[in-house]
Amino acid sequence: MPVMHFHVRWPDASETRCYSPSSVVQEFFAPGERYALEEFLQRTRQALGMASERVRARYGFACSQAMDQLTEIERIAARFTGIADAEVTVVAVD
């Protein structure tokens, strides 16, 4: 499975390099696109959930690293909950 990374910029201009065990993230994120915080979280949950299931289908176990990444993303996003019009920008997908 091709490991992918997606780089995001948070509302405070900090950036995070995020891991995915599958290229499925390309179906959910486009470089340069901005997403409302909740939409970004929904897309991330779907993308990393699908990526983890692809690992399960191939190797017989889910990808704990993908779920750890989701936990980290949700932890960071919690800092911006309640901020009106908070957006996350996908800087790159590689």
Side-chain angles (χ1 to χ4, degrees):
M1 302 205 121
V3 168
M4 300 285 299
H5 292 93
F6 54 107
H7 304 256
V8 300
R9 183 175 304 121
W10 298 99
D12 67 355
S14 64
E15 294 190 9
T16 303
R17 180 176 184 242
C18 304
Y19 167 85
S20 172
S22 167
S23 61
V24 72
V25 295
Q26 293 175 313
E27 297 173 22
F28 290 87
F29 300 118
E33 289 294 317
R34 294 167 61 175
Y35 302 94
L37 182 64
E38 191 54 42
E39 179 185 1
F40 173 74
L41 289 172
Q42 289 174 352
R43 286 172 175 264
T44 301
R45 290 177 189 122
Q46 289 180 308
L48 292 178
M50 288 177 69
S52 181
E53 287 305 311
R54 286 184 177 189
V55 170
R56 182 190 309 277
R58 185 162 185 180
Y59 298 106
F61 53 86
C63 180
S64 62
Q65 194 172 1
M67 296 300 93
D68 290 346
Q69 181 64 76
L70 177 57
T71 299
E72 176 69 7
I73 288 169
E74 289 179 334
R75 184 190 65 75
I76 295 169
R79 298 187 332 223
F80 308 108
T81 302
I83 296 175
D85 301 324
E87 291 184 324
V88 177
T89 302
V90 175
V91 177
V93 179
D94 52 35

